[in-house]
Amino acid sequence: MSKEKKMTTTITREEFMSPGHLACQGCGASLAMRLALKGLGQRTIVCIPACCWAVIDGPFPYSSLDVPIYHCAFETAASSASGVKAGLEILGDNETAVLAWAGDGGTYDIGLQALSGAAERNDDIIYACYDNEAYMNTGIQRSSATPFGAWTTTTPVKHYKKERKKDIIGIMAAHGIPYIATASVAYPEDMVKKFKKAREIRGTRFILIFAPCPAGWKSRPEDTIKLARLAVQTGYFPLIEIEKGEKWTLNLKLKERKPIAEYLKLQGRFRHLSEEEIAAIQQEVDERWAKTLQKCSL
Amino acid sequence: MKKVIMGNHALSYGAMLSRAQVIAAYPITPQTQVVELLSEMCADGTLNAKFIKVESEHSAMAACLGASLAGARTFTATSAQGLALMHEMLHWAAGGRMPVVMGNINRAMAPGWSIWADQNDSLSERDTGWIQFYCASNQEVLDTVIQAYKVSEKLMIPSMIVLDAFTLSHTYEVVEIPDQSLVDQYLPPFNPPWRLTPDDPHAFGGLTSPDHYMELRYKLQKDMEKVPALVEETGKEYEKMFGRYLGQVEEYLCDDAEFIFVTSGTAGSTARVAVDELRQRGIKAGNLRIRLFRPFPFEKVRSILSRVPRVAVLDRNISYGHHGIFYQEVKSAMYGQPSQPLIFGFIAGLGGRDITRDSFREIADYALSRDRVEEEIVWIGVKK
């Protein structure tokens, strides 16, 4: 017998996503789906609007998921999911989870109205946004989730994005829904745990997943996990939970935060930024981090 | 049981009797009473349905489609701007073969703001792949909801039931409310050939390459072509059980007619009075009210109109830069037929301007005094 200690994981070995999907190398969004379904299980119906995942899943007649998928219109992830859930319930199925799975374009921008409507009604759906911080499926155009300073094809270097990233967590928290969480592909145990937890809660649940995109961020595919981890370790993307819109919990406390420059320098989309601009971003991250700590009563 | 109800409530009763299971709707004048009554029915348990009070018409149709794909019978209602906002989802419904039934109250499009009747809202959705029924009485509205579910669910194509703003939506008429048990016999529960279920997971509506897309559309057209016969069949079955026949068109004194009005909606009722007046003057007039507009009832229309020398088509709508839309459709149906009548086109009643007996008198005088079509739009009652 080997004396080696076996690494244990709480994540199921069962897979609900097959190889052969159409994601790019190093795609954070594909990993995110694999982990989300490990948390939710097979009794899940997924509504996917226009986004990278509309392609990743595979063209008709193929699908890379072992769960049913409704490919819905761009702005209807939430409203489609609400409808599916109502249909299941009236037919006596209260057990199947309905997951709306949208990118940041479908969530922060074109789908925000439907998402707000579903959240206000507290419809019994899980809404997950895999945030890769731009319209990646159409070829890297800015969204309201694109951070300050980033290059995209519609915010060229000479006129890089001057506006801050929209605070979608703040918006969702203001709806007072039962459960909100952030998750990162670099922290799979945390992510799967959050999807498992969300499944047991009734009402609207919102999970924001940080999903690096090598093609859009001009980063190396092998750096995806590193970038996702750095986003957490710098305090740029804190791992949190919000229950009933009020009770904030910081899931990963940091004794020391890494400088944001470490995160930015691995991405070509920030290559043009000056020292001053990086300092300004650091300041913004610091301010947001302080606010997060305050909300988490730390 | 007989009840005096408004046209909007005829839609609600139709949905109730059809046992709609998921309703998602957004209020808009002049549709509001449809959803108000359904809300009450859901609240007091008269109707066992989930009512999703969405934040827009776009979400209303999106939610109906999700529920439909999950296997539930769905209903919604809207009008004008609301219908236009749904436009994207109307394509989704037909393309995805989701048999939603929807009431649309014909209201003029803004700007300027108008809440009054005309048909440009529903006719702008002509090419979305929906079956469209135009109604002329509250009884017909109620009956058509039930029939529409039967037709739609058989072919997996959505249906739109269209009624004029105020002249029908807010007008009270005596309506026979059929027995629930009889309706249940006529309309069995919705049992779609496919649905969203983890027991048999499939992806619906995914990326479809040029290798497959065209066949999906071909199949939709082929199934659309089955609608006229199915409307006849289900209409006759309805007549057997409820005593009221629901066909593709309504003929009024067309058999021996030498001059026929082609109408739709409530104008079709007014036309009957005009026909009676003309007959008193010795003119053998008739009225052909088109009830099924999509798919277009080619055979019916051809068989009736090829017998007469003169036809006057009334449009409460316009395709800007072309003609009245029913006029286009009737002309296209008659093109190449061995016997073609003179077909005159008239536009009246836009934005809720009344269409009266006088309007039809004017139309008849015009059409009967000409031996050729001099202009393709004859405006009735416009202040030029």
Side-chain angles (χ1 to χ4, degrees):
Chain A
M1 282 287 284
S2 158
K3 283 183 184 171
E4 282 172 37
K5 211 175 166 187
K6 265 193 182 165
M7 205 166 131
T8 57
T9 168
T10 59
I11 302 172
T12 177
R13 282 175 180 277
E14 211 176 342
E15 294 289 350
F16 305 103
M17 185 172 157
S18 339
H21 59 75
L22 300 182
C24 309
Q25 282 187 353
C27 170
S30 56
L31 190 48
M33 176 68 94
R34 182 176 167 227
L35 293 171
L37 289 180
K38 279 172 180 272
L40 295 175
Q42 198 270 336
R43 308 285 314 168
T44 302
I45 292 172
V46 190
C47 297
I48 302 178
C51 61
C52 287
W53 251 99
V55 177
I56 294 173
D57 179 52
F60 172 84
Y62 304 107
S63 172
S64 56
L65 299 185
D66 287 335
V67 298
I69 299 173
Y70 172 28
H71 288 281
C72 58
F74 201 176
E75 62 279 60
T76 69
S79 45
S80 298
S82 296
V84 171
K85 185 68 191 182
L88 293 176
E89 279 185 349
I90 200 74
L91 295 168
D93 178 358
N94 295 309
E95 187 243 338
T96 301
V98 181
L99 171 69
W101 183 265
D104 46 289
T107 303
Y108 288 70
D109 294 339
I110 199 168
L112 186 60
Q113 173 181 320
L115 172 57
S116 174
E120 184 271 332
R121 296 187 301 271
N122 199 22
D123 285 346
D124 193 17
I125 60 168
I126 301 166
Y127 190 108
C129 167
Y130 62 96
D131 186 355
N132 51 27
E133 301 196 319
Y135 291 89
M136 295 315 187
N137 196 34
T138 43
I140 325 164
Q141 295 85 26
R142 65 93 87 183
S143 76
S144 64
T146 305
F148 170 88
W151 161 91
T152 68
T153 57
T154 51
T155 50
V157 167
K158 278 188 187 160
H159 192 74
Y160 63 76
K161 189 163 185 264
K162 299 291 197 295
E163 302 83 18
R164 292 174 59 156
K165 183 183 174 88
K166 191 186 275 182
D167 177 14
I168 195 76
I169 290 294
I171 291 171
M172 295 317 293
H175 285 77
I177 54 175
Y179 186 68
I180 295 169
T182 60
S184 165
V185 292
Y187 296 84
E189 296 247 352
D190 177 74
M191 188 192 298
V192 174
K193 204 163 72 186
K194 282 169 173 171
F195 273 92
K196 260 189 192 161
K197 184 171 175 179
R199 204 194 197 290
E200 300 311 313
I201 297 168
R202 294 276 77 85
T204 306
R205 293 139 283 170
F206 180 80
I207 299 179
L208 180 68
I209 307 162
F210 192 76
C213 169
W217 293 10
K218 304 297 166 204
S219 58
R220 296 188 305 173
E222 60 268 37
D223 280 346
T224 287
I225 300 300
K226 192 174 181 182
L227 275 170
R229 191 178 295 127
L230 276 171
V232 172
Q233 290 173 337
T234 54
Y236 175 79
F237 190 85
L239 294 178
I240 57 154
E241 285 173 298
I242 309 168
E243 275 151 291
K244 291 171 186 159
E246 284 167 11
K247 191 179 161 254
W248 287 59
T249 308
L250 185 65
N251 303 114
L252 192 75
K253 297 185 183 78
L254 302 170
K255 277 184 191 149
E256 209 174 313
R257 283 184 295 124
K258 292 193 172 164
I260 196 70
E262 270 189 49
Y263 165 75
L264 300 176
K265 74 182 180 197
L266 292 174
Q267 304 170 59
R269 63 173 174 158
F270 295 118
R271 190 186 296 139
H272 53 277
L273 294 180
S274 66
E275 290 299 318
E276 292 75 32
E277 286 159 337
I278 290 172
I281 293 173
Q282 181 66 62
Q283 197 185 338
E284 191 208 315
V285 172
D286 293 346
E287 283 166 11
R288 280 199 292 118
W289 178 254
K291 274 185 197 160
T292 303
L293 290 183
Q294 204 181 5
K295 281 171 180 160
C296 297
S297 309
L298 293 167
Chain B
M1 182 183 49
K2 280 193 162 63
K3 265 193 168 181
V4 179
I5 57 170
M6 68 195 309
N8 278 342
H9 286 172
L11 276 175
S12 317
Y13 275 102
M16 180 202 84
L17 289 164
S18 303
R19 297 191 189 274
Q21 292 169 305
V22 174
I23 299 161
Y26 189 78
I28 179 170
T29 302
Q31 155 267 31
T32 42
Q33 292 83 7
V34 184
V35 292
E36 284 170 354
L37 183 56
L38 284 169
S39 302
E40 278 174 35
M41 288 170 168
C42 289
D44 68 17
T46 314
L47 175 59
N48 179 28
K50 296 265 173 195
F51 195 138
I52 312 176
K53 279 121 195 189
V54 286
E55 82 302 326
S56 74
E57 288 88 354
H58 196 278
S59 287
M61 186 51 68
C64 281
L65 299 187
S68 184
L69 201 52
R73 183 170 285 161
T74 55
F75 181 81
T76 187
T78 189
S79 180
Q81 312 301 131
L83 186 68
L85 185 59
M86 273 182 192
H87 174 73
E88 179 193 23
M89 302 320 294
L90 298 186
H91 280 283
W92 218 279
R97 307 299 293 265
M98 302 164 195
V100 179
V101 170
M102 164 165 67
N104 180 68
I105 321 300
N106 261 155
R107 163 184 156 177
M109 295 298 295
W113 280 114
S114 167
I115 54 169
W116 297 279
D118 82 33
Q119 300 170 321
N120 259 65
D121 58 349
S122 55
L123 291 175
S124 295
E125 307 302 342
R126 175 178 73 167
D127 301 331
T128 52
W130 281 60
I131 298 165
Q132 288 196 355
F133 295 100
Y134 287 75
C135 297
S137 73
N138 292 353
Q139 184 71 61
E140 190 185 352
V141 170
L142 185 149
D143 294 336
T144 304
V145 175
I146 300 166
Q147 183 193 24
Y149 277 113
K150 188 137 175 141
V151 173
S152 280
E153 291 174 3
K154 173 110 186 196
L155 297 171
M156 299 297 278
I157 300 174
S159 280
M160 191 186 298
I161 294 150
V162 186
L163 47 154
D164 293 311
F166 300 106
T167 41
L168 207 53
S169 69
H170 285 62
T171 300
Y172 281 74
E173 292 181 332
V174 178
V175 172
E176 169 72 31
I177 315 274
D179 279 349
Q180 182 68 61
S181 58
L182 269 183
V183 177
D184 290 345
Q185 271 181 50
Y186 178 81
L187 182 68
F190 180 39
N191 186 21
W194 55 78
R195 68 174 75 201
L196 277 172
T197 169
D199 295 325
D200 185 20
H202 291 278
F204 294 91
L207 188 63
T208 309
S209 73
D211 270 353
H212 297 289
Y213 186 91
M214 199 160 163
E215 283 67 31
L216 295 177
R217 293 302 171 258
Y218 171 78
K219 284 180 179 174
L220 177 55
Q221 169 64 15
K222 284 291 148 196
D223 283 340
M224 260 291 190
E225 288 169 9
K226 294 176 187 160
V227 173
L230 190 58
V231 166
E232 289 299 326
E233 184 192 317
T234 55
K236 278 174 194 154
E237 196 187 330
Y238 199 87
E239 186 180 25
K240 244 184 237 168
M241 291 179 71
F242 303 97
R244 291 179 298 277
Y245 166 68
L246 302 164
Q248 303 168 66
V249 298
E250 183 197 67
E251 293 174 67
Y252 183 67
L253 304 181
C254 287
D255 282 348
D256 66 339
E258 289 167 358
F259 170 63
I260 287 182
F261 293 119
V262 176
T263 54
S264 58
T266 50
S269 302
T270 313
R272 292 207 303 258
V273 181
V275 165
D276 291 344
E277 286 182 356
L278 285 167
R279 292 238 166 202
Q280 278 167 17
R281 281 164 53 192
I283 298 159
K284 284 187 177 171
N287 178 50
L288 173 65
R289 178 171 68 83
I290 298 193
R291 179 170 175 265
L292 178 69
F293 172 73
R294 268 296 176 273
F296 195 79
F298 285 106
E299 279 184 40
K300 267 278 175 207
V301 168
R302 282 172 186 156
S303 71
I304 296 163
L305 296 188
S306 57
R307 300 195 299 253
V308 293
R310 258 166 232 273
V311 170
V313 183
L314 175 77
D315 274 295
R316 195 172 208 161
N317 62 74
I318 179 167
S319 172
Y320 304 107
H322 203 286
H323 310 141
I325 292 166
F326 280 83
Y327 183 49
Q328 295 173 1
E329 301 262 344
V330 170
K331 280 189 295 179
S332 120
M334 298 311 291
Y335 178 78
Q337 295 301 300
S339 167
Q340 291 185 34
L342 270 180
I343 309 175
F344 299 92
F346 301 85
I347 288 179
L350 299 186
R353 189 161 296 179
D354 283 336
I355 297 174
T356 64
R357 280 188 297 181
D358 287 345
S359 314
F360 283 102
R361 210 173 289 143
E362 198 180 331
I363 290 168
D365 287 348
Y366 182 99
L368 292 168
S369 62
R370 279 166 178 79
D371 287 323
R372 63 185 186 92
V373 176
E374 290 161 11
E375 44 189 346
E376 278 156 320
I377 299 179
V378 182
W379 293 83
I380 300 297
V382 75
K383 295 169 230 164
K384 282 183 188 167

